[in-house]
Amino acid sequence: MEKYMCDACGWVYDEAKGDAEIGIAPGTKFEDLPVDFSCPLCGLGKDSFNKYL
């Protein structure tokens, strides 16, 4: 499982944890998030995220 960070604000999406607050189940891969997914903090889209090491 990977983690992805928003380049603009630093919010991290962890595939293993998902995000219950925004309705994403644990184990949901970043690539499987909806096309219109946006960062819950700053509102930017998936193209603003990169793998977080």
Side-chain angles (χ1 to χ4, degrees):
M1 304 247 80
E2 304 281 348
K3 294 180 182 179
Y4 290 82
M5 184 172 69
C6 177
D7 292 334
C9 71
W11 184 80
V12 175
Y13 173 68
D14 183 340
E15 293 178 338
K17 294 180 181 179
D19 193 316
E21 288 185 24
I22 57 176
I24 302 171
T28 302
K29 293 199 171 282
F30 186 78
E31 63 195 33
D32 294 334
L33 294 175
V35 174
D36 63 349
F37 171 81
S38 60
C39 177
L41 290 185
C42 70
L44 293 180
K46 287 174 74 171
D47 59 341
S48 295
F49 283 76
N50 285 298
K51 281 188 182 180
Y52 179 69
L53 302 174

